[in-house]
Amino acid sequence: AVVPQGGNTGLVGGSVPVHDEVVLSTRKMNRILSVDSMNQAVVCESGCVLQDLDAHLAALGLMMPLDSASHSACQIGGNVATNAGGNRRIRYGSLFRTVLGLEAVL
């Protein structure tokens, strides 16, 4: 089995290998590919750190509708996988509602 592993900030242990799994790190998949300011949409890789993504968007007058106590280490792939929320969830709703699409390679 393959276990994708990102920032390791989750408390549920979903990315911790239990037996003889192969660990697939997403740390180097950290690029912001495009930002569409008009439609307020961003395309980024799963290993993109939330703090870096939010800083990049802030320079464009935008922000991520997600805030996390571990924003300096958590990665967007894990945030989406766990439907992470934080303080901004109260105002902007769940993260799943903001995801327009995913591209996965199996």
Side-chain angles (χ1 to χ4, degrees):
V2 177
V3 177
Q5 195 172 73
N8 286 328
T9 60
L11 299 177
V12 296
S15 66
V16 178
V18 178
H19 299 290
D20 60 348
E21 295 90 356
V22 174
V23 175
L24 176 66
S25 174
T26 60
R27 288 189 188 273
K28 291 186 178 181
M29 298 173 61
N30 59 4
R31 294 181 300 157
I32 300 168
L33 303 175
S34 66
V35 177
D36 182 348
S37 297
M38 179 74 80
N39 293 308
Q40 298 183 347
V42 61
V43 177
C44 66
E45 295 178 338
S46 63
C48 191
V49 176
L50 179 59
Q51 182 176 4
D52 298 341
L53 181 56
D54 210 20
H56 183 85
L57 294 174
L60 301 171
L62 302 170
M63 64 171 235
M64 281 295 294
L66 169 65
D67 184 27
S68 173
S70 59
H71 68 279
S72 62
C74 68
Q75 297 176 0
I76 197 68
N79 296 148
V80 171
T82 60
N83 196 26
N87 294 334
R88 294 181 188 164
R89 183 179 187 135
I90 296 167
R91 182 172 185 173
Y92 299 105
S94 78
L95 185 59
F96 284 156
R97 292 178 35 185
T98 65
V99 176
L100 298 175
L102 296 171
E103 182 178 323
V105 177
L106 302 176

